[in-house]
Amino acid sequence: MRTLKIAAIWACLALVFSCDLEMGETISKASYDKLLSEYNELSESAEATRAEYAAQAAAVDNILQELSQISGSTVSLRTDVEQGTARLTQVEQIQESIDGIKGKLDRLEKESAQYRKTVLSLRKVILEKEAEIEQLKAEIEARDLTITEQHKTISAQNETLQSQSETILVQRENLRAAVQEQAQMLFQAGVDFEDLGDSAPEVRRRKDREKVKNLSREMYEKAIVYYRMAQETGYPEAAYRITQVEEKMAKL
């Protein structure tokens, strides 16, 4: 807004100069001094505003840096909690840093309306950090009791793992039996198709003999497909039957 006012004053000065020059008149010193005074006043005000904005931006940047340091300290604290080496003094130091940031946010919110949304967002982050810190603090205070509970939990987990291991063994055996049964079914399907190929009727007409031969070949091919599937599922007898059927096909 101040920039626009300054620009307007410069426009007025230019207009005054232009009009007076065209009319061949001399500019009134009083008018000139008044406009120049207004310009200098607005210019100083604009410079002060820029400095104020720069200071507020620097304050926000400083707050963000401190939040980053708090995040790093919180990660270290959580690691120490997991390792059982954390101390309450760490929590106190982090909380002290958080309180300092709160004070800075209060001042920033009072000084500048343009950072209000930023302040609200940062306050939300602070609340989340405080909740995390409180949780870690509670974990530290209850550490000794937690160790006892952990021993109980580990014992229960070992029993569960043992039970699961036994269940897996049973399931594995059931799966093996199911695969074996499936292999037997596939092998039997191959036998059935092979028998169909073997039982082709005797015909006299050449045309009919060709049809019967093609039908037998088709049955043998299907038999080989099922024998191979049975072989892939671990049925060893299937290999011999494949060779046998291939020999029959070669004689057609």
Side-chain angles (χ1 to χ4, degrees):
M1 186 67 182
R2 291 186 177 89
T3 302
L4 293 176
K5 288 184 178 179
I6 294 172
I9 291 174
W10 272 112
C12 290
L13 286 171
L15 181 61
V16 171
F17 281 124
S18 176
C19 291
D20 288 342
L21 289 174
E22 289 178 0
M23 297 174 63
E25 298 178 359
T26 304
I27 301 173
S28 168
K29 187 176 187 307
S31 299
Y32 173 80
D33 289 343
K34 180 180 180 181
L35 288 173
L36 186 59
S37 176
E38 291 180 0
Y39 167 76
N40 289 334
E41 182 180 347
L42 289 173
S43 179
E44 292 174 0
S45 177
E47 183 63 31
T49 300
R50 284 195 294 269
E52 181 182 353
Y53 286 167
Q56 292 168 354
V60 171
D61 183 64
N62 179 261
I63 290 172
L64 292 175
Q65 290 181 9
E66 291 186 9
L67 276 176
S68 177
Q69 293 174 355
I70 288 174
S71 296
S73 299
T74 304
V75 170
S76 298
L77 177 60
R78 179 170 292 280
T79 300
D80 291 344
V81 168
E82 293 173 355
Q83 295 177 350
T85 60
R87 296 292 181 268
L88 286 175
T89 52
Q90 294 174 259
V91 176
E92 294 170 357
Q93 290 172 356
I94 295 174
Q95 187 60 55
E96 184 178 346
S97 298
I98 289 176
D99 292 340
I101 290 178
K102 283 183 176 180
K104 292 180 181 179
L105 289 175
D106 290 339
R107 290 192 294 274
L108 183 62
E109 188 173 22
K110 291 178 181 179
E111 294 172 357
S112 176
Q114 69 169 338
Y115 285 105
R116 188 162 297 162
K117 290 184 178 179
T118 301
V119 170
L120 290 175
S121 177
L122 293 176
R123 288 191 190 281
K124 183 179 179 181
V125 174
I126 288 296
L127 287 175
E128 293 174 353
K129 286 297 177 186
E130 285 187 315
E132 185 177 3
I133 292 301
E134 283 299 317
Q135 178 187 356
L136 293 174
K137 181 180 179 181
E139 290 181 24
I140 295 171
E141 292 174 340
R143 181 170 52 198
D144 294 338
L145 293 177
T146 301
I147 291 174
T148 301
E149 293 300 322
Q150 286 177 342
H151 284 315
K152 294 180 181 179
T153 301
I154 290 172
S155 178
Q157 288 176 343
N158 287 336
E159 293 178 2
T160 300
L161 288 173
Q162 180 63 29
S163 176
Q164 289 176 344
S165 178
E166 294 174 358
T167 301
I168 290 172
L169 290 175
V170 172
Q171 291 176 341
R172 185 180 299 170
E173 181 60 27
N174 291 339
L175 178 61
R176 187 193 64 77
V179 170
Q180 187 175 4
E181 182 180 356
Q182 183 183 31
Q184 177 62 43
M185 293 173 63
L186 292 170
F187 181 81
Q188 186 58 49
V191 171
D192 293 340
F193 277 109
E194 183 180 356
D195 290 343
L196 287 174
D198 292 343
S199 61
E202 293 289 339
V203 293
R204 294 183 179 180
R205 295 176 58 186
R206 181 177 179 181
K207 185 176 182 181
D208 292 336
R209 287 199 304 271
E210 190 65 28
K211 289 182 179 180
V212 170
K213 183 186 296 184
N214 290 336
L215 180 60
S216 295
R217 181 177 289 105
E218 184 178 349
M219 296 300 102
Y220 288 146
E221 288 175 351
K222 288 184 179 296
I224 289 176
V225 169
Y226 282 100
Y227 283 145
R228 284 176 177 166
M229 291 172 65
Q231 185 181 27
E232 290 174 358
T233 53
Y235 204 89
E237 296 179 24
Y240 170 74
R241 299 303 289 262
I242 291 172
T243 301
Q244 189 177 40
V245 173
E246 288 175 343
E247 292 176 356
K248 290 180 181 180
M249 291 177 65
K251 295 178 181 178
L252 290 176

